[in-house]
Amino acid sequence: MPANKTGSPRKKKGRRVRLIVIAVVLLLIGGVGYGTYWSISTVRASFPETTGSLQLKGLSGPVQVKRDGYGIPQVYGNTPEDLFRAQGFVQAQDRFWEMDVRRHMTAGRLSEMFGSGQVETDAFLRTLGWHRVAQQEYDTKLSATTKKYLRAYSDGVNAYLKDHQGKALSVEYAALDFKNDGYKPEKWTPVDSVAWLKAMAWDLRGNMQDEVDRALASSRLSAQQIDELYPPYPYSRNKPIVQGGALDEATDEFDPQASATSTTDGTSAGGGATGAAQGLQSQLSSLSKTLDQVPALLGPNGTGIGSNSWVISGQYTTTGKPLLANDPHLAPQLPSVWYQMGLHCKQVSSACPYDAAGFTFAGMPGVVIGHNQNVSWGMTNLGADVSDLYLEKVTANGYLYDGKQLPFTTREETIKVAGGRSRTITVRTSNNGPIVSDRDDELTDVGKNAPVGSGADDVAPDRGDGYAVALKWTALTPSNTMDAVFKLGTAKNFSDFRKAAQDFSVPSQNLIYADTKGNIGYQAPGRIPVRAKGDGRYPAPGWDSRYKWSKFIPQSALPWEYNPKRGYIVTANQAVIDKKKYPYLLTDDWGYGARSQRIGDLIESKVKDGGKVSTDDMQSMQMDNSSEIAKLLTPYLLKINIKDDYVRRAQQLLESWDYTQDSDSAAAAYFNAVWRNTLKLAFGDKLPKELRVKGQCLRVRPADDSGPLEDLEGNTRLVRECGKRDPDMAQPDGGDRWYEVVRNIVKDPGNSWWKTAGTRNNPGAVNRDELLAKAMRAARSELTAKLGKDINSWSWGRLHRLTLKNQTLGTEGPGVVQWMLNRGPWNLSGGEAAVNATGWNAAGGYDVTWVPSMRMVVNLDNLDKSRWVNLTGASGHAYHAHYTDQTEKWAKGELLPWAFSKSAVDKSTDDELALTP
């Protein structure tokens, strides 16, 4: 083994700073119960060995683990099993706390670690049964090869666990001892790895939240108003991913070269009236609350969760070969959800085909996004509608289905609770899925006031005490998505890539492709249902078999492209294909194309007149901060005659603004505050409390009051009503759906959405300009309170901040523990629906709630000139040099060199560890 390099000046400086920080921390926490226990040795006890030699039982031969200056490992072995065994060992070295928390979450066993506060979340997850489905996948669906690799990975994790417990695993276990003394992690299993795919599928589950929100909105808004808040996708303005091709309906095969013609009605085969609970009342709010408890751990789910990816053919690049970019948008986590890694067979052959590098999940073998020696691939959320809520009529003997009473399938689940007594729950399942409304006492009357059915033949049974709610979701049916992960890693060409995509069932992702021979491509994969009746926009009547899923879209029918004439492919959660030219319904709840169209425009502007795109250009595009809603709305704001000089000075910030949201921009700060207040006045204050921010209260007319707004003495007849939603899940969230809503009414100054309620002393707005003027005044006051009176001192970054929080203990642990484990804040550029998608929820505030969780640009001409960056760092150990050492670069839009060839990896290696049999 080559001699280890001496520490670089940068690394030595990093160690000195870290020791100083640790010393300061110990001084600060001394005397509060932790100081005597959390010594420097405790903090450092879990730092992994990255040099020398360690024995790893089960290897067929030596494995080298080479880490660069950022601790990113490249693993070299003789067999695939050796690679995955070493991958498990190395990931456990850096990230086992994260892995342990994840597997307890996916199994509904968080209470075993953290006590009674997690019982409700566990009960909901047990009801969904993620771990049960993962076990079924392992037992019945996965290939023998995949199982072999999963077992090897588990053996590697367990080899590390055998010699590391408590504080030697991570400092979090030392903290956990204060709450759960004696906790000892169990052995890792292959099913623990498979189950994480269910968590990712939940995060990217499609339109379930939209389905709930539309139902909740019906308690206050008419069907027409709800449709106005969920406008159709603007196909004529924002291009879909696949811009040509057609389905041969005789063979159910999609041909990207065929000429598309309009389908009969522009809707799903088998579409039609929803037959759904369009008037579902606020009883669904409890279900919404229960659903939200899980995303609170995984990340907010809504219009912001998505990603960017694009690939450009060599005809338009400076290298003459494709360039591929990807940045998935997920909730910020510490450590990042991603773990950078390379897996290299020393001699690539059919027996050992792996030579891949990219972004992996700690806790799961393989490379999820990245490249091998032949091809590169990226992913964005396709957003297909793969879940439906069904209303169930519960009877004395079960539930009603086509006029018959059927018994529920039931099972008991015991939830063990650290420091408390175990809880037992009964899970009921109908033929539509698990009854999710059983998980909260308030849910027993879900649907109590819900009118259902939209036609004369849609007769709803008597609702009695209310309907139960079942969840039907493709991720609750066993699949072999794990097979696809390994197949992607060894794909040699587009044919191999498409075959791998056929196994990628859940979550449904847009897969983009490029290879070293110069080809680019796209494939829409996934297990996507076809509904016999209904369109999935509202909860469906579970008692009527006409609303069942009749089949799944054949894989051969899903859209794809290969070397399109335009020379590039962009996927950013926009529509996959024009619904008028495609007979199957994928979803109607797409992202609305603000990011995708901006990326396309940037590419077009670069390549016009013979221009070429470089790797630097791809990196710059990822950091584009332009605001589409600002371009639309600012001209209207500037035309308003503001007489108050206090507000006028703020308005003047917009006069020379170029609509970019740099962190130091005062104009961006003011515009986004105006946008937030515009949304609140025009829409937010008109939504039911179930959709508004928790604790934000309004005075509204009682639901049963139809009299005058004021009595004869001028006293208002209003009652106080407070919101119920967590800030990062409330509406209006300000995403590009709301861009489209405003675009549709902005030229109509008298539209009813611009009108607001008022009182004698505080008149409401009667038109667009009055409402915008109110929003501008409110924004001026808000920013004065938050940023100060001096407009020149304002900046978007001071409002738009990212704080990274350690999993679980960083959000729910003692304050001093949170202080030790969390990092930040960082003042960020970018914004909602910008390409640099540092998302924020306009209803809840300006803090960053989701981010580009990593960024990469792959150069298919020379893979060693590719670039990448992670949100945090390789290590999950607080105070380790690689805990957040990439975050500052990530925030600035910088990328790290991505060495791939053995010579490039050797040159970049700082630490080398030999794992021996």
Side-chain angles (χ1 to χ4, degrees):
M1 186 177 69
N4 293 324
K5 296 182 180 181
T6 58
S8 66
R10 183 181 64 80
K11 290 187 68 176
K12 289 180 178 178
K13 181 180 179 181
R15 292 191 184 103
R16 287 197 299 270
V17 171
R18 189 169 70 254
L19 290 173
I20 292 171
V21 170
I22 293 171
V24 172
V25 167
L26 294 174
L27 287 172
L28 288 172
I29 65 176
V32 297
Y34 292 89
T36 58
Y37 189 80
W38 281 29
S39 63
I40 288 180
S41 63
T42 300
V43 174
R44 295 180 58 87
S46 59
F47 290 3
E49 294 180 61
T50 58
T51 60
S53 179
L54 293 172
Q55 189 177 44
L56 178 54
K57 185 179 179 182
L59 292 176
S60 68
V63 172
Q64 283 77 43
V65 182
K66 301 181 179 185
R67 296 177 183 258
D68 67 9
Y70 287 87
I72 300 169
Q74 303 285 339
V75 180
Y76 293 83
N78 294 320
T79 69
E81 293 93 324
D82 284 356
L83 287 178
F84 298 125
R85 184 174 276 103
Q87 184 179 19
F89 184 89
V90 171
Q91 289 187 339
Q93 280 186 306
D94 283 335
R95 298 283 192 92
F96 187 76
W97 169 261
E98 172 192 12
M99 293 164 60
D100 202 14
V101 171
R102 283 181 178 178
R103 68 165 166 175
H104 278 80
M105 177 174 58
T106 57
R109 297 174 57 193
L110 286 168
S111 301
E112 293 181 22
M113 291 185 75
F114 304 109
S116 59
Q118 300 296 332
V119 168
E120 287 188 12
T121 298
D122 281 347
F124 186 73
L125 291 168
R126 295 287 186 94
T127 299
L128 295 183
W130 290 352
H131 200 269
R132 289 170 56 87
V133 178
Q135 184 69 61
Q136 293 169 4
E137 290 180 355
Y138 183 80
D139 291 341
T140 65
K141 291 292 184 179
L142 299 181
S143 71
T145 299
T146 294
K147 290 182 181 180
K148 182 169 58 175
Y149 294 165
L150 286 164
R151 288 193 295 269
Y153 180 89
S154 297
D155 289 345
V157 175
N158 291 327
Y160 189 74
L161 288 181
K162 182 179 179 181
D163 297 323
H164 298 79
Q165 293 294 329
K167 67 180 182 180
L169 271 175
S170 80
V171 74
E172 288 93 338
Y173 289 103
L176 189 64
D177 274 347
F178 289 96
K179 186 170 187 177
N180 188 2
D181 186 24
Y183 171 80
K184 183 178 180 180
E186 298 174 353
K187 286 187 176 181
W188 193 266
T189 72
V191 177
D192 292 333
S193 296
V194 177
W196 182 243
L197 289 172
K198 303 302 173 187
M200 295 308 299
W202 178 262
D203 225 14
L204 305 170
R205 63 192 180 274
N207 78 333
M208 188 190 302
Q209 195 65 54
D210 289 327
E211 189 175 336
V212 171
D213 287 358
R214 279 190 288 263
L216 291 172
S218 67
S219 68
R220 182 160 293 175
L221 303 178
S222 68
Q224 178 181 340
Q225 287 175 313
I226 294 173
D227 286 344
E228 290 171 355
L229 298 186
Y230 290 85
Y233 185 88
Y235 290 98
S236 62
R237 188 177 67 256
N238 292 346
K239 298 173 184 176
I241 297 170
V242 176
Q243 297 174 26
L247 183 74
D248 184 335
E249 297 191 46
T251 62
D252 247 354
E253 290 190 7
F254 186 85
D255 182 353
Q257 302 302 322
S259 297
T261 57
S262 295
T263 59
T264 303
D265 59 3
T267 62
S268 163
T274 65
Q278 296 197 17
L280 192 62
Q281 302 297 319
S282 60
Q283 283 75 13
L284 261 178
S285 63
S286 295
L287 173 60
S288 176
K289 176 183 177 182
T290 304
L291 293 174
D292 289 353
Q293 289 174 352
V294 182
L297 290 171
L298 296 176
N301 179 281
T303 59
I305 293 294
S307 304
N308 299 323
S309 73
W310 65 94
V311 60
I312 303 178
S313 170
Q315 64 182 306
Y316 291 132
T317 68
T318 57
T319 67
K321 290 288 180 69
L323 295 171
L324 185 151
N326 196 187
D327 55 284
H329 306 157
L330 296 168
Q333 297 184 27
L334 180 60
S336 167
V337 69
W338 300 107
Y339 182 89
Q340 296 149 289
M341 199 171 201
L343 299 170
H344 308 275
C345 291
K346 294 179 182 178
Q347 294 293 328
V348 179
S349 65
S350 59
C352 192
Y354 286 89
D355 189 17
F359 293 87
T360 72
F361 293 140
M364 198 178 89
V367 174
V368 179
I369 294 174
H371 68 81
N372 60 29
Q373 70 274 35
N374 299 305
V375 310
S376 179
W377 66 96
M379 300 183 191
T380 65
N381 193 25
L382 191 149
D385 187 356
V386 296
S387 64
D388 281 336
L389 296 173
Y390 281 86
L391 303 178
E392 304 283 11
K393 171 57 182 175
V394 178
T395 67
N397 298 314
Y399 62 98
L400 196 66
Y401 190 73
D402 281 350
K404 299 178 181 179
Q405 294 187 53
L406 301 181
F408 286 108
T409 301
T410 62
R411 70 177 189 271
E412 287 194 345
E413 295 273 355
T414 299
I415 300 171
K416 297 179 181 179
V417 181
R421 63 180 180 84
S422 297
R423 317 285 175 86
T424 299
I425 63 170
T426 299
V427 177
R428 299 189 297 173
T429 302
S430 75
N431 55 11
N432 289 312
I435 306 299
V436 291
S437 53
D438 281 349
R439 298 283 67 90
D440 192 298
D441 291 340
E442 296 177 359
L443 297 179
T444 56
D445 62 348
V446 165
K448 182 179 292 185
N449 301 311
V452 294
S454 59
D457 60 342
D458 292 327
V459 179
D462 179 76
R463 63 175 54 89
D465 292 331
Y467 303 128
V469 180
L471 170 64
K472 191 173 185 66
W473 179 33
T474 55
L476 301 184
T477 300
S479 70
N480 58 335
T481 300
M482 195 70 227
D483 288 343
V485 173
F486 294 115
K487 289 181 180 179
L488 284 172
T490 57
K492 296 179 180 178
N493 50 47
F494 191 60
S495 177
D496 290 348
F497 174 78
R498 292 194 69 210
K499 289 177 182 176
Q502 290 179 4
D503 292 332
F504 210 105
S505 299
V506 184
S508 184
Q509 298 288 283
N510 296 306
L511 297 177
I512 61 166
Y513 168 92
D515 63 38
T516 55
K517 294 183 178 179
N519 302 298
I520 66 172
Y522 163 82
Q523 176 68 58
R527 188 171 170 84
I528 303 171
V530 176
R531 295 161 180 84
K533 186 175 183 180
D535 58 10
R537 285 175 58 82
Y538 288 89
W543 51 82
D544 190 338
S545 63
R546 293 174 299 173
Y547 292 90
K548 68 181 181 180
W549 292 357
S550 60
K551 65 175 184 177
F552 294 93
I553 299 176
Q555 293 295 302
S556 62
L558 290 170
W560 60 282
E561 282 190 314
Y562 188 57
N563 293 328
K565 290 182 179 180
R566 66 184 178 277
Y568 63 89
I569 301 169
V570 177
T571 85
N573 319 116
Q574 79 271 39
V576 168
I577 191 168
D578 192 330
K579 65 180 292 185
K580 293 181 180 179
K581 300 177 182 179
Y582 187 72
Y584 289 113
L585 176 66
L586 299 174
T587 186
D588 279 329
D589 290 313
W590 304 108
Y592 280 78
R595 284 180 286 113
S596 61
Q597 192 59 39
R598 175 63 177 173
I599 293 167
D601 290 345
L602 289 170
I603 295 172
E604 290 283 359
S605 67
K606 189 70 180 178
V607 303
K608 69 179 181 181
D609 302 324
K612 302 287 185 179
V613 178
S614 67
T615 306
D616 287 341
D617 293 329
M618 299 285 276
Q619 184 173 340
S620 296
M621 290 178 192
Q622 288 182 321
M623 294 303 293
D624 183 80
N625 295 322
S626 180
S627 169
E628 180 184 335
I629 189 60
K631 294 176 185 177
L632 173 69
L633 200 56
T634 298
Y636 292 92
L637 298 176
L638 290 176
K639 289 179 181 179
I640 295 174
N641 183 18
I642 300 293
K643 297 180 179 179
D644 184 346
D645 189 56
Y646 172 76
V647 181
R648 170 65 184 145
R649 288 197 300 273
Q651 183 189 36
Q652 289 174 329
L653 290 172
L654 305 178
E655 291 179 353
S656 58
W657 184 40
D658 62 359
Y659 312 123
T660 59
Q661 301 170 95
D662 295 327
S663 63
D664 60 357
S665 170
Y670 182 60
F671 173 80
N672 283 318
V674 173
W675 172 235
R676 169 172 145 85
N677 282 279
T678 297
L679 289 170
K680 180 179 185 297
L681 292 168
F683 309 105
D685 290 352
K686 297 166 187 173
L687 296 176
K689 60 182 179 295
E690 292 82 7
L691 300 182
R692 301 200 313 269
V693 175
K694 186 185 302 181
Q696 290 186 4
C697 304
L698 300 172
R699 298 191 67 82
V700 300
R701 183 193 295 270
D704 59 352
D705 184 6
S706 59
L709 188 63
E710 298 178 346
D711 61 23
L712 295 177
E713 284 75 36
N715 299 313
T716 60
R717 302 166 60 88
L718 303 178
V719 296
R720 192 167 182 263
E721 181 188 84
C722 299
K724 293 187 173 183
R725 275 277 174 91
D726 286 339
D728 60 2
M729 295 295 296
Q731 292 293 341
D733 61 19
D736 63 356
R737 171 166 68 87
W738 293 99
Y739 294 9
E740 204 63 23
V741 171
V742 171
R743 187 186 300 276
N744 289 340
I745 68 171
V746 73
K747 293 182 180 179
D748 179 10
N751 189 282
S752 60
W753 286 109
W754 299 121
K755 299 176 182 178
T756 65
T759 64
R760 185 175 303 174
N761 297 324
N762 184 23
V766 298
N767 57 37
R768 178 196 64 205
D769 290 351
E770 285 193 10
L771 185 141
L772 293 178
K774 281 179 171 288
M776 293 171 76
R777 285 194 293 273
R780 174 54 158 114
S781 297
E782 181 183 7
L783 294 199
T784 298
K786 291 179 181 293
L787 303 179
K789 294 181 180 180
D790 183 4
I791 289 177
N792 295 323
S793 70
W794 291 358
S795 70
W796 173 226
R798 288 176 60 200
L799 287 175
H800 192 53
R801 310 182 95 188
L802 170 67
T803 299
L804 293 172
K805 296 185 178 181
N806 183 279
Q807 288 193 55
T808 307
L809 293 181
T811 58
E812 298 182 3
V816 67
V817 175
Q818 293 187 40
W819 183 83
M820 291 185 69
L821 299 180
N822 297 343
R823 297 292 181 271
W826 284 268
N827 297 348
L828 296 186
S829 301
E832 189 75 20
V835 179
N836 182 19
T838 54
W840 55 288
N841 186 302
Y846 304 98
D847 286 341
V848 176
T849 57
W850 50 269
V851 294
S853 54
M854 62 79 160
R855 297 188 184 98
M856 75 175 192
V857 177
V858 180
N859 183 330
L860 277 300
D861 177 59
N862 184 339
L863 293 169
D864 286 332
K865 292 186 178 180
S866 302
R867 305 171 187 175
W868 59 355
V869 74
N870 205 349
L871 172 64
T872 59
S875 179
H877 300 291
Y879 299 106
H880 192 278
H882 303 312
Y883 191 46
T884 56
D885 60 335
Q886 296 185 49
T887 307
E888 191 67 29
K889 290 183 176 296
W890 172 91
K892 294 177 180 178
E894 298 176 11
L895 299 176
L896 304 176
W898 183 353
F900 178 70
S901 69
K902 189 174 186 303
S903 59
V905 169
D906 287 344
K907 186 176 181 180
S908 67
T909 296
D910 272 21
D911 290 340
E912 184 169 341
L913 174 68
L915 299 175
T916 60

